[in-house]
Amino acid sequence: MRSASTTNSTLRFAPAELIEIQEEITRMEHERKRLEDERRYDEALDLRNKIDQLKRSQQERREKDELERQAKEAEAMEEAFRLRQKSLREQQDTEKQTLLANIERKRRELQEKFASEQAAIPPVGSKPEDRFLTKFSRTVFEMRALEQRLAKQQRYRESKEVAVQADYLEREERAALQAQYEQRIERQRETLTARQKVEMDSFEQRAASAISILGAKAGTTGRNA
């Protein structure tokens, strides 16, 4: 079984290894819980970080496999499209060939632009810069100041009690800030997706209209011939 200590974010596992990695994660979770119960917090934290690394590696592998699958599907679609285009080129006149080529080029450009715009938005679950997660309330700053004053006065027990309360409040506020950040990102993605859909629908309507007009023209030419 692969040791957790050798795991890093660049590791890639074969599909068969994913089950083994999950078993390792389960084992490490049990070990982490034992360390936690024994109040060996530093060791528990170190093990938790290793578990997180393994989980990230798992997720990266799943995402890589999905991207490869999508790439193969895209390649297959591109190949099918190329064959259709070839058939059309053999059957249609130069004007229709040019029109279809221009439409597809514009579609690809739109799709590439859309993909670039979507990629510019942070993915779900991402974390903002630290400065966005440290905008704590005045209460937190006042408690931290009180903690330091008590410590300087050697009133360590009281200082520790204040520190525990401040830590708890800080975690709560950090979680709220993270939630606000994720909501803002989700709204950005929804707005962008809606705008892209309108733009693509408009493009497809114009393309369909141009093809229809060309087809009618070709039909008229055929009847006249």
Side-chain angles (χ1 to χ4, degrees), residues 2-162:
R2 187 184 300 271
S3 171
S5 62
T6 63
T7 303
N8 58 59
S9 60
T10 64
L11 284 180
R12 294 294 184 270
F13 304 107
E17 292 182 274
L18 292 176
I19 295 177
E20 179 180 347
I21 296 303
Q22 184 57 51
E23 292 175 350
E24 177 68 357
I25 290 174
T26 300
R27 184 195 67 75
M28 293 171 69
E29 285 287 4
H30 288 306
E31 177 65 10
R32 182 195 61 75
K33 184 61 172 63
R34 184 182 66 79
L35 293 172
E36 178 182 316
D37 293 340
E38 295 176 3
R39 304 177 66 185
R40 295 161 62 182
Y41 298 132
D42 288 341
E43 295 175 65
L45 175 61
D46 182 60
L47 193 57
R48 188 194 68 183
N49 291 337
K50 293 177 180 179
I51 292 171
D52 289 343
Q53 285 184 321
L54 277 178
K55 289 181 177 178
R56 284 194 296 271
S57 295
Q58 274 189 314
Q59 183 61 28
E60 288 174 358
R61 176 51 194 253
R62 293 191 183 99
E63 292 173 356
K64 178 175 180 290
D65 291 345
E66 178 61 17
L67 288 175
E68 290 176 351
R69 184 189 67 78
Q70 292 177 1
K72 290 179 180 179
E73 289 182 356
E75 290 174 359
M77 292 175 63
E78 282 291 325
E79 178 64 12
F81 179 78
R82 187 188 66 78
L83 293 175
R84 288 197 304 270
Q85 286 295 91
K86 180 180 179 181
S87 176
L88 288 173
R89 286 193 298 269
E90 293 171 352
Q91 300 173 22
Q92 299 173 345
D93 56 23
T94 303
E95 185 179 5
K96 189 172 185 179
Q97 293 177 40
T98 302
L99 176 61
L100 292 176
N102 287 340
I103 288 174
E104 183 56 29
R105 177 183 56 79
K106 179 60 178 177
R107 182 180 291 114
R108 286 198 302 269
E109 289 175 356
L110 282 175
Q111 291 171 342
E112 290 171 0
K113 186 185 75 169
F114 292 168
S116 177
E117 291 172 344
Q118 291 284 352
I121 298 178
V124 175
S126 63
K127 292 185 177 181
E129 298 177 11
D130 288 342
R131 61 190 179 90
F132 290 109
L133 293 180
T134 55
K135 296 181 179 179
F136 301 121
S137 66
R138 181 176 179 179
T139 301
V140 171
F141 289 108
E142 289 177 347
M143 293 178 71
R144 290 302 185 192
L146 176 59
E147 173 191 346
Q148 294 177 5
R149 287 199 304 272
L150 291 172
K152 289 180 180 179
Q153 296 170 11
Q154 299 184 19
R155 296 162 63 182
Y156 300 126
R157 184 181 301 276
E158 295 171 81
S159 178
K160 182 177 181 180
E161 291 176 354
V162 173

Side-chain angles (χ1 to χ4, degrees), residues 149-197:
R149 287 199 304 272
L150 291 172
K152 289 180 180 179
Q153 296 170 11
Q154 299 184 19
R155 296 162 63 182
Y156 300 126
R157 184 181 301 276
E158 295 171 81
S159 178
K160 182 177 181 180
E161 291 176 354
V162 173
V164 170
Q165 296 175 13
D167 288 345
Y168 174 80
L169 184 57
E170 188 174 298
R171 287 194 299 270
E172 291 292 309
E173 293 186 4
R174 190 184 298 274
L177 289 169
Q178 176 71 30
Q180 292 174 9
Y181 171 80
E182 292 177 353
Q183 290 172 1
R184 184 170 69 254
I185 292 302
E186 184 59 28
R187 286 195 297 270
Q188 290 178 359
R189 189 177 301 282
E190 290 173 354
T191 300
L192 175 61
T193 300
R195 180 183 64 75
Q196 289 177 342
K197 184 178 186 305

